[in-house]
Amino acid sequence: MFLDLFFVFARRISVVLLLVFTALRLDGRLEWNWFYVLIPAWLFDSVMLLYITAQAITEVKRRPTRRLAIILNRLWDLSAVLNKILFQVLICLKLQAVVVIQLSYVFFPLWALLLQMAASLVYRIYLHEKTSSSLPIRRSL
């Protein structure tokens, strides 16, 4: 419970700080490196990695018979966070002109993340339809 509240609080604070830092950087009032501007996102990602790991450990302790399914689900979540981190690193490198890289390569991790989210959504809809179709239909007169 405490971990969930901390996660929500960290997300809200990091989003507000990220928006403020980005607006100030784009307005020209900050001359920070883009890696510094994205510090709230880096902090949130590290909290997410810790949250996913802690969630996996508690779930495995609670239900040791479903260990493989739990680990695979958490690896799926970790890959989403890692795709987000990779996108942030590439966009910072592009904006700082550290390396010359095409935008299509910069946005590839974001596209992979969006495809992963779409696949997860389709899978959850499939599971929902599968479980709801097995319920008996009540007809009212």
Side-chain angles (χ1 to χ4, degrees):
M1 177 78 175
F2 173 74
L3 194 60
D4 293 334
L5 290 175
F6 178 73
F7 182 70
V8 169
F9 179 73
R11 179 178 54 196
R12 289 182 181 169
I13 293 296
S14 66
V15 166
V16 168
L17 287 175
L18 180 65
L19 290 174
V20 168
F21 289 167
T22 304
L24 290 174
R25 174 71 164 102
L26 291 174
D27 195 32
R29 295 181 186 204
L30 284 179
E31 294 298 323
W32 290 356
N33 187 329
W34 278 102
F35 286 99
Y36 298 150
V37 172
L38 291 180
I39 282 177
W42 305 121
L43 292 175
F44 178 69
D45 291 339
S46 63
V47 168
M48 276 182 40
L49 291 173
L50 291 174
Y51 178 78
I52 291 169
T53 305
Q55 192 87 10
I57 291 170
T58 56
E59 283 185 43
V60 167
K61 284 183 180 178
R62 227 179 322 141
R63 296 181 290 179
T65 57
R66 298 206 50 214
R67 176 177 293 183
L68 181 63
I70 291 169
I71 290 173
L72 288 177
N73 284 337
R74 294 303 160 216
L75 284 176
W76 183 263
D77 296 340
L78 284 174
S79 68
V81 174
L82 292 176
N83 271 332
K84 181 179 176 267
I85 290 171
L86 181 60
F87 170 68
Q88 290 171 350
V89 168
L90 290 175
I91 200 76
C92 285
L93 290 173
K94 177 71 175 174
L95 290 172
Q96 285 300 122
V98 174
V99 293
V100 178
I101 186 170
Q102 292 180 0
L103 277 177
S104 59
Y105 297 135
V106 170
F107 280 92
F108 183 76
L110 183 64
W111 295 332
L113 175 63
L114 293 176
L115 283 174
Q116 183 179 5
M117 290 170 59
S120 180
L121 179 64
V122 167
Y123 180 69
R124 288 177 193 256
I125 290 172
Y126 168 74
L127 287 181
H128 178 70
E129 291 296 322
K130 183 179 171 183
T131 57
S132 65
S133 66
S134 63
L135 297 175
I137 299 173
R138 289 173 87 185
R139 295 187 183 188
S140 59
L141 297 174

